[in-house]
């Protein structure tokens, strides 16, 4: 390297400094453009969010909260974090307190536990195999290792949450904390009923609304506020924001619980939540990511965002109806939200086979266990299909109908490469018609 190259290095691009990493970034750009993204937890951020996330705010340490930092020079990051907080509280009416620092949904969830239960305490969470989440009590996760987890689930006949059974179980178990929320549940979750069940047994209700947060913000899924005591979310799923998490809470414990059961809550729940995020589970907040969250939350407060969420739902409806009319078995018989859980075994393949096959024709999904699955999780009987990303891209119900047909046809002609190649060309033609927001053209 020459002296002038060394001098230029601080201003050089990724492509110049590290062609290997740049090639992978560029490959991912092309993949995101060329393929149809149906992973229910993914989305595309707008350029303004990418710009904030990629900004020099990454250089700043800012442990603490706005106005109460452990570092100097925080005047601008304080502005950014306060804007994110104000917008988050405005987006979810009934919310009383928010911390926008969690690096991820899992870390927001860790802070929820730290604010409400001690190791060994009883927690009632949704069974992962029925659509729950790793951090809601899976044995290998910290949640399953440190707390006494009791799982509730869905009924076998209609695959819907059995609230009556949950109520009975809550009275038997007497948990300190009930966790609501799911990663692969296509129906509305009755947060109010779950709050009533929790408060009736002297427990706190924590809602992890990560998957449906955008729908909640748009008023298209019932809100967990004000009845849930703690609410966590990611920012990057239906909310279409920067990658990361947020945690909301009531200011005070609800009157229905005995404060003696929650000795970690001092002097109130809001302060406990903040303390649980930092120094509880994190050090310095990622200020560039918080800037991305602030920008995305501003966009989420617009009428266009509500319209987008309505189109996410309409697209999921049409996708589900078309798949069902073509012989696929939908868990719960349909969907109320942004995702569909499809048992693909009646079509002659496992979830793993379907995932691989669809990838071949340019459609990205994930294999997913279905409730009472007889296949192991790494094979699975189902696939999970979501519409947030394609809807951001501008796909409408016509495209959804065509994609559903492509999915079923690809499975039917899975042993015929020429036919699969033809389906792949159709998928690519659709993708080519809709540029991905925020993504530069090649
Ligand atoms: N991994 C996410 C999902 O795909 O649903 C949840 O954290």
């Amino acid at each position: 390297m020459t002296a002038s190259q060394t001098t230029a290095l601080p201003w050089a691009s990724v492509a110049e400094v590290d062609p290997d990493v740049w090639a992978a970034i560029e490959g991912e750009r092309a993949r995101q453009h060329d393929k149809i993204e149906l992973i229910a937890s993914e989305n595309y951020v707008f350029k303004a969010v990418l710009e904030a996330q990629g900004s020099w705010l990454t250089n700043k340490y800012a442990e603490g909260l706005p106005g109460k930092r452990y570092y100097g020079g925080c005047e601008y990051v304080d502005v950014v974090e306060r804007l994110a907080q104000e917008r988050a509280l405005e987006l979810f009416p009934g919310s009383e307190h928010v911390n926008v620092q969690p690096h991820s949904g899992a870390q927001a969830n860790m802070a929820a536990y730290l604010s409400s239960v001690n190791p060994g305490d009883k927690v009632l969470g949704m069974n992962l195999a029925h659509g729950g989440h790793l951090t809601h009590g899976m044995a290998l996760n910290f949640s399953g290792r440190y707390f006494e987890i009791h799982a509730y689930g869905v009924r076998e006949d209609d695959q819907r949450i059995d609230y009556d059974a949950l109520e009975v179980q809550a009275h038997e178990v007497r948990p300190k904390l009930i966790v609501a929320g799911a990663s692969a549940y296509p129906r509305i979750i009755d947060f109010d009923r779950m709050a009533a069940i929790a408060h009736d047994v002297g427990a706190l209700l924590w809602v992890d609304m990560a998957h449906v947060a955008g729908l909640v913000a748009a008023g298209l899924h019932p809100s967990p506020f004000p009845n849930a005591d703690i609410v966590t979310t990611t920012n990057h799923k239906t909310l279409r924001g920067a990658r990361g998490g947020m945690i909301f809470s009531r200011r005070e414990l609800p009157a229905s619980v005995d404060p003696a059961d929650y000795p970690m809550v001092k002097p109130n729940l809001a302060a406990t939540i903040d303390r649980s995020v930092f120094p509880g589970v994190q050090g310095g907040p990622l200020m560039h990511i918080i800037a991305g969250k602030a920008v995305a939350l501003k966009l989420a407060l617009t009428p266009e965002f509500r319209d987008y969420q309505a189109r996410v739902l309409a697209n999921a409806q049409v996708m589900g109806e078309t798949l069902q009319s073509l012989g696929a078995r939908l868990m719960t018989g349909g969907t109320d939200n942004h995702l569909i859980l499809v048992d693909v075994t009646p079509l002659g393949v496992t979830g793993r086979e379907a995932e691989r096959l669809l990838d071949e024709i340019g459609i990205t999904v994930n294999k997913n266990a279905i409730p009472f699955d007889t296949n192991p999780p790494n094979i699975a009987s189902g696939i999970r299909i979501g519409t947030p990303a394609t809807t951001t891209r501008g796909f409408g119900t016509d495209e959804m109908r065509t994609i559903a047909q492509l999915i079923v046809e690809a499975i039917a002609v899975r042993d015929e490469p020429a036919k699969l190649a033809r389906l792949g060309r159709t998928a690519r033609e659709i993708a080519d018609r809709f540029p991905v927001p925020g993504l530069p053209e090649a």
Side-chain angles (χ1 to χ4, degrees):
M1 193 172 281
T2 66
S4 67
Q5 278 172 325
T6 311
T7 313
L9 202 54
W11 289 274
S13 65
V14 180
E16 289 162 335
V17 170
D18 192 337
D20 297 328
V21 165
W22 181 248
I25 292 175
E26 181 53 21
E28 176 62 12
R29 185 202 62 74
R31 190 196 69 79
Q32 289 189 14
H33 172 273
D34 296 349
K35 297 200 170 186
I36 294 174
E37 184 57 73
L38 294 178
I39 291 180
S41 48
E42 294 189 14
N43 213 328
Y44 305 108
V45 295
F46 288 169
K47 180 168 174 276
V49 175
L50 274 183
E51 201 179 344
Q53 279 189 254
S55 70
W56 40 93
L57 269 60
T58 191
N59 297 334
K60 189 73 197 98
Y61 259 120
E63 270 101 325
L65 289 164
K68 290 180 280 182
R69 305 283 191 187
Y70 290 85
Y71 290 79
C74 288
E75 60 270 35
Y76 297 108
V77 293
D78 276 4
V79 171
V80 166
E81 185 164 349
R82 282 202 179 98
L83 284 171
Q85 291 170 335
E86 286 162 17
R87 290 168 183 171
L89 293 174
E90 185 182 346
L91 190 62
F92 297 103
S95 59
E96 294 182 359
H97 175 73
V98 67
N99 186 302
V100 298
Q101 295 186 1
H103 301 332
S104 69
Q107 285 194 272
N109 292 355
M110 201 177 241
Y113 284 106
L114 209 57
S115 301
S116 58
V117 278
N118 279 322
D121 280 350
K122 292 179 188 169
V123 176
L124 194 50
M126 188 162 173
N127 190 342
L128 177 65
H130 288 200
H133 187 256
L134 290 178
T135 54
H136 299 180
M138 190 248 198
L140 297 177
N141 183 260
F142 74 89
S143 54
R145 290 183 57 183
Y146 293 128
F147 307 107
E148 183 184 317
I149 301 289
H150 296 257
Y152 64 86
V154 300
R155 282 186 294 263
E156 192 158 5
D157 57 352
D158 64 359
Q159 304 95 45
R160 292 182 186 235
I161 294 173
D162 190 340
Y163 296 100
D164 293 336
L166 168 59
E167 185 164 13
V168 170
Q169 195 179 5
H171 280 270
E172 282 166 8
V173 172
R174 310 290 303 186
K176 290 255 182 75
L177 179 67
I178 297 183
V179 192
S183 285
Y185 186 67
R187 293 296 176 177
I188 279 170
I189 300 182
D190 191 344
F191 296 138
D192 285 350
R193 171 114 195 244
M194 294 191 70
I197 293 171
H199 294 156
D200 200 32
V201 298
L204 291 177
L205 178 72
W206 154 33
V207 172
D208 178 348
M209 64 169 181
H211 261 271
V212 295
L215 300 173
V216 170
L220 298 172
H221 186 292
S223 173
F225 302 104
N227 291 328
D229 305 300
I230 300 173
V231 177
T232 54
T233 185
T234 50
N235 295 64
H236 50 270
K237 297 187 175 81
T238 45
L239 261 186
R240 200 167 63 187
R243 215 171 174 95
M246 301 192 289
I247 181 166
F248 298 82
S249 76
R250 290 180 190 277
R251 194 153 295 286
E252 306 289 341
L253 283 172
S256 54
V257 304
D258 180 352
D261 285 338
Y262 301 91
M264 70 292 287
V265 175
K266 288 186 223 135
N268 56 38
L269 188 55
T272 309
I273 293 282
D274 286 340
R275 209 168 48 238
S276 297
V277 175
F278 166 79
V281 300
Q282 292 184 178
L286 309 176
M287 297 315 304
H288 55 306
I289 297 294
I290 292 175
K293 289 174 188 173
V295 173
L297 288 165
K298 178 171 183 169
L299 295 172
L301 283 159
T302 60
E304 290 77 18
F305 184 78
R306 193 192 177 283
D307 172 63
Y308 158 69
Q309 298 294 340
R311 286 185 287 112
V312 167
L313 289 187
N315 281 345
Q317 285 294 324
V318 168
M319 171 70 76
E321 284 160 16
T322 312
L323 286 169
Q324 203 156 31
S325 73
L326 296 171
R329 177 174 170 249
L330 268 51
M331 293 297 100
T332 77
T335 180
D336 298 329
N337 61 23
H338 63 299
L339 70 84
I340 300 149
L341 188 57
V342 189
D343 177 3
V344 287
T345 57
L347 303 175
V349 290
T350 64
R352 184 164 75 176
E353 287 163 343
E355 178 188 301
R356 206 201 55 237
L357 184 65
L358 294 174
D359 194 47
E360 250 179 69
I361 65 159
I363 295 178
T364 312
V365 301
N366 65 279
K367 62 178 172 292
N368 211 103
I370 59 171
F372 308 97
D373 209 325
T374 50
N375 278 312
N378 64 343
I379 294 178
S381 297
I383 56 173
R384 188 183 63 161
I385 293 176
T387 52
T390 48
T391 307
T392 292
R393 206 169 168 169
F395 288 24
T397 50
D398 287 347
E399 285 73 35
M400 292 300 136
R401 232 170 259 118
T402 308
I403 295 165
Q405 286 158 359
L406 290 176
I407 290 172
V408 174
E409 206 179 331
I411 294 172
V413 302
R414 60 191 174 277
D415 297 323
E416 299 177 69
K419 288 187 179 166
L420 281 176
R422 180 179 51 78
L423 299 179
R425 283 193 295 278
T426 306
R428 179 64 193 269
E429 278 160 22
I430 298 173
D432 281 346
R433 280 195 278 125
F434 297 90
V436 176
L439 214 60
E441 292 296 318

